[in-house]
Amino acid sequence: MSSRKYALLKFTFLAFILEAPLLIAYLWMMGNVSQARFNPRQMSEWLINYQGGFVRRGLVGEIILKISSVFPITTSIYAIVFWAFAAYVALFLVIYLKARIQDWSVLAVAILLQGGIFHMGSGGIFYIRKEGIFLVFFSILCLIYLNIQASSLRRRSIWIGLLTFLLLTISPLMVLMHEAYLFMGFPAAFLLLWIVQKENPDLGYLKKALIFLALEVVGLFVLCSMFHGDALQSQAIWDALPFQDRLFLSPTAPYTPLGPIDSVAWSLGQHLATIYGIFSTGGIFVWILFIPANGLALMYVLSRLETAKTSTAYVQFTRLALIGLRN
């Protein structure tokens, strides 16, 4: 096979595995909105709001509720999850090009990775959850970090300032959207700022920013834990939704809180019981296989980068990959 045909074959393959999940996600999420595009119980997670008072995870639901007079609630959820996924795919590609890895096998493995872009888009997995926004936020931070590395000394301070500003202002919003950000997205974001601080010790404000970032995120997590909600709030959150949306989500019981909205009133024992359910139903074996499989895939990516060593981007991309593995 000639080098030109081989290059064309590689491009076609990469274009397919990158565009196919986007196309599937678009046709699924933006298709016939008269039917639930994903599990109504998962959809109700997006609708936890502040209509019964301040409660954990309520920020996005409150925003959706405010704009529901313009767009139907379900349509808003579909649009949010699809465009967040599309933004993540676009940022992923921009970061890859910006890093100048120039190794098609690295790109292919990263896309096909279990839980990666192809897996998410082809099966409607994970990107329909609030945590998908964590991916978008961290991707933006990674892109800014690459700009820091590629900029002159003067512009570098501007990019560092932007990175710090976004971390200090957006991270609290992530906690108010879903308190699990403390465990799922924050460690990676914090480590990224820590790396920037180590690489730029002359910027004294970065140490203070690290301390303040940790305090505000942990503090908000504790606050959200204190305001976990009760039965009255759960009912108020549900009743605040338009009746047609409640009927759409729960046609057999439109007056009874559904799924995560109902779990706002759960006790600690009920929440722990859901964790036990993962073990008792065998779901734990999925995670046991998932973690080493992704670890091996990331090791392969790092080995390819070790071989290629394309410019200084290799060092930075390695750090970002290790941050992703740690997260």
Side-chain angles (χ1 to χ4, degrees):
M1 183 183 295
S2 66
S3 58
R4 180 175 297 181
K5 289 183 178 179
Y6 182 61
L8 179 61
L9 181 63
K10 287 193 300 184
F11 175 81
T12 302
F13 174 72
L14 291 172
F16 172 77
I17 62 175
L18 196 60
E19 292 182 15
L22 267 179
L23 182 60
I24 293 171
Y26 179 80
L27 293 176
W28 178 246
M29 287 298 157
M30 310 304 285
N32 181 10
V33 295
S34 63
Q35 299 178 354
R37 309 316 294 171
F38 57 99
N39 193 314
R41 299 181 68 88
Q42 293 174 316
M43 291 176 65
S44 68
E45 167 71 34
W46 289 88
L47 300 175
I48 299 173
N49 54 66
Y50 296 145
Q51 295 304 298
F54 179 79
V55 69
R56 61 187 176 90
R57 307 186 185 187
L59 180 61
V60 174
E62 187 67 17
I63 295 173
I64 292 176
L65 198 62
K66 295 298 184 185
I67 65 175
S68 62
S69 58
V70 180
F71 302 101
I73 282 180
T74 51
T75 303
S76 299
I77 296 174
Y78 300 148
I80 289 172
V81 297
F82 169 73
W83 289 110
F85 177 57
Y88 172 64
V89 174
L91 286 166
F92 172 87
L93 188 58
V94 171
I95 289 172
Y96 174 82
L97 296 174
K98 185 78 174 178
R100 299 179 182 178
I101 303 303
Q102 298 179 353
D103 189 326
W104 78 274
S105 62
V106 167
L107 181 59
V109 169
I111 295 172
L112 295 173
L113 187 70
Q114 178 78 5
I117 287 174
F118 190 86
H119 186 215
M120 282 195 288
S122 60
I125 299 170
F126 190 78
Y127 76 88
I128 60 176
R129 299 170 60 91
K130 285 182 178 179
E131 291 91 328
I133 298 181
F134 299 168
L135 294 176
V136 176
F137 180 48
F138 186 64
S139 297
I140 293 173
L141 297 179
C142 289
L143 184 58
I144 293 175
Y145 177 76
L146 290 175
N147 281 324
I148 291 173
Q149 299 302 313
S151 298
S152 62
L153 186 61
R154 178 176 174 275
R155 291 189 175 183
R156 182 179 302 174
S157 61
I158 297 175
W159 284 112
I160 293 175
L162 178 61
L163 179 74
T164 307
F165 174 78
L166 289 178
L167 277 169
L168 293 178
T169 55
I170 304 300
S171 291
L173 299 181
M174 296 290 107
V175 180
L176 294 176
M177 181 181 71
H178 196 314
E179 69 277 5
Y181 176 74
L182 176 67
F183 308 104
M184 300 186 67
F186 178 67
F190 184 85
L191 282 173
L192 188 60
L193 184 60
W194 179 79
I195 289 173
V196 172
Q197 188 274 323
K198 289 298 181 180
E199 293 177 342
N200 300 272
D202 54 312
L203 299 178
Y205 73 88
L206 290 178
K207 285 187 177 180
K208 297 177 182 178
L210 277 168
I211 296 173
F212 186 79
L213 179 63
L215 290 176
E216 67 172 349
V217 171
V218 174
L220 272 176
F221 173 82
V222 173
L223 183 65
C224 289
S225 299
M226 294 171 61
F227 289 88
H228 57 80
D230 54 33
L232 291 177
Q233 284 182 299
S234 174
Q235 190 65 52
I237 291 169
W238 181 252
D239 291 341
L241 305 179
F243 179 74
Q244 62 269 24
D245 290 300
R246 286 184 278 144
L247 190 62
F248 177 83
L249 294 170
S250 183
T252 59
Y255 298 101
T256 304
L258 174 70
I261 294 180
D262 178 46
S263 68
V264 165
W266 284 7
S267 65
L268 177 61
Q270 287 174 297
H271 284 292
L272 291 176
T274 62
I275 299 177
Y276 169 75
I278 296 176
F279 286 87
S280 62
T281 58
I284 187 62
F285 293 105
V286 176
W287 291 101
I288 292 175
L289 294 174
F290 178 85
I291 294 173
N294 279 272
L296 290 173
L298 284 172
M299 287 175 62
Y300 171 77
V301 169
L302 293 177
S303 69
R304 295 293 299 176
L305 294 176
E306 176 68 31
T307 302
K309 289 194 174 184
T310 54
S311 76
T312 58
Y314 156 71
V315 178
Q316 313 308 334
F317 193 85
T318 301
R319 288 176 175 174
L320 295 180
L322 289 174
I323 288 175
L325 178 60
R326 182 184 178 90
N327 196 37

